[in-house]
Amino acid sequence: MAFAMSADAKLGFDPKVFLATTGDGREIVGAAKKQVIYQQGAACDAVFYIHKGNVRLAVVAKNGKEATIGILNPGDFFGEGGLAGQLLRIGSAIALTDCELLRIEKKAMMRALHKENALSDLFTAYLLGRNIRYEADLTDQLFNSSEKRLARTLLLLAQFGTEGKPETVVPKVSQETLAEMVGTTRGRVSFFMNRFRKLGFIDYNGVLVVHSSLLNVVLHDSLPRRTLKA
């Protein structure tokens, strides 16, 4: 046993272990489907890491209109604004499915980032990757049609191209939420979803399945119309 403990000590800090365990300002918390994890305007006192489930990020304007700005998956961080000096949450986080989260107090996260290079590297890589994603989202919003934006959103929700991930959209996302994310109306989303289904790009039988052929919508300027007849 003494030898095993010595070997473990030599391994040093493991960010995966840090994110999978409790202690030092870290606790595992559950959030039921539709539960508010934190509210817009609340204090930025913690960072969250998703173990299981999906989280919706939303912002409410002064006129009361709500917009979905992102849906996060296991392995994603959120709520890190306080690390950059943000005092209050600029948006809300809502559990889209039953979730298991690691809640890391702000001070504990800052202490670990300063002390452990491995965690700092992992966290920085995640933030850079997400920044690239946001830039792509903005470009998509400015230059692409709502049909292409919806196709890209579905592929991202299905985590298409992620090793070991099935081509299935999880969780179930309403057409209203998709419309908010794409920046169009629910009617247009319904029209395009029916079109994608008739073209064989998606299937829906209680579970929405996204096929790799949906990439055709993103990669090409036009698609055949003759197959749309009922």
Side-chain angles (χ1 to χ4, degrees):
M1 178 65 70
F3 175 78
M5 291 177 65
S6 177
D8 288 343
K10 291 180 180 179
L11 294 177
F13 180 85
D14 186 343
K16 293 183 179 179
V17 173
F18 176 85
L19 295 170
T21 57
T22 60
D24 188 26
R26 309 188 310 279
E27 62 173 332
I28 302 294
V29 297
K33 182 178 180 180
K34 296 185 179 181
Q35 179 179 336
V36 176
I37 300 165
Y38 59 72
Q39 190 75 44
Q40 184 172 328
C44 291
D45 56 358
V47 177
F48 293 84
Y49 178 80
I50 304 176
H51 284 169
K52 298 178 183 178
N54 302 86
V55 174
R56 180 170 71 94
L57 301 181
V59 175
V60 178
K62 291 182 179 180
N63 61 6
K65 184 177 181 180
E66 182 180 89
T68 298
I69 58 175
I71 293 179
L72 305 179
N73 304 303
D76 287 343
F77 293 91
F78 65 99
E80 71 284 348
L83 302 180
Q86 195 177 91
L87 299 178
L88 301 176
R89 303 289 189 190
I90 61 173
S92 300
I94 304 100
L96 204 54
T97 63
D98 291 341
C99 293
E100 180 182 289
L101 312 168
L102 177 68
R103 183 184 185 277
I104 311 170
E105 293 180 3
K106 176 182 173 181
K107 289 183 178 179
M109 186 65 174
M110 294 182 70
R111 184 165 56 247
L113 288 172
H114 283 123
K115 182 179 178 182
E116 306 295 349
N117 290 335
L119 178 65
S120 180
D121 289 345
L122 183 150
F123 189 62
T124 300
Y126 171 78
L127 293 180
L128 289 172
R130 196 176 65 184
N131 186 62
I132 292 171
R133 159 76 184 278
Y134 284 170
E135 288 180 356
D137 288 344
L138 179 58
T139 300
D140 191 42
Q141 191 74 28
L142 291 173
F143 298 110
N144 288 333
S145 67
S146 54
E147 183 178 34
K148 281 191 175 184
R149 296 200 305 272
L150 176 60
R152 180 172 177 272
T153 297
L154 292 174
L155 289 165
L156 288 170
L157 289 174
Q159 295 182 273
F160 177 77
T162 303
E163 185 177 355
K165 294 291 184 181
E167 295 180 350
T168 304
V169 173
V170 179
K172 296 180 180 178
V173 180
S174 70
Q175 291 189 353
E176 287 85 356
T177 297
L178 285 173
E180 291 173 0
M181 296 178 69
V182 172
T184 188
T185 64
R186 183 187 180 281
R188 295 293 284 171
V189 167
S190 178
F191 173 81
F192 292 135
M193 292 288 281
N194 285 330
R195 181 165 186 259
F196 294 162
R197 180 178 56 80
K198 290 177 181 178
L199 287 170
F201 297 154
I202 65 173
D203 289 318
Y204 185 77
N205 186 19
V207 176
L208 178 60
V209 177
V210 176
H211 301 298
S212 58
S213 55
L214 186 60
L215 279 169
N216 290 325
V217 180
V218 178
L219 298 176
H220 301 291
D221 292 331
S222 61
L223 293 170
R225 305 286 170 172
R226 61 181 182 275
T227 56
L228 299 182
K229 294 181 180 180

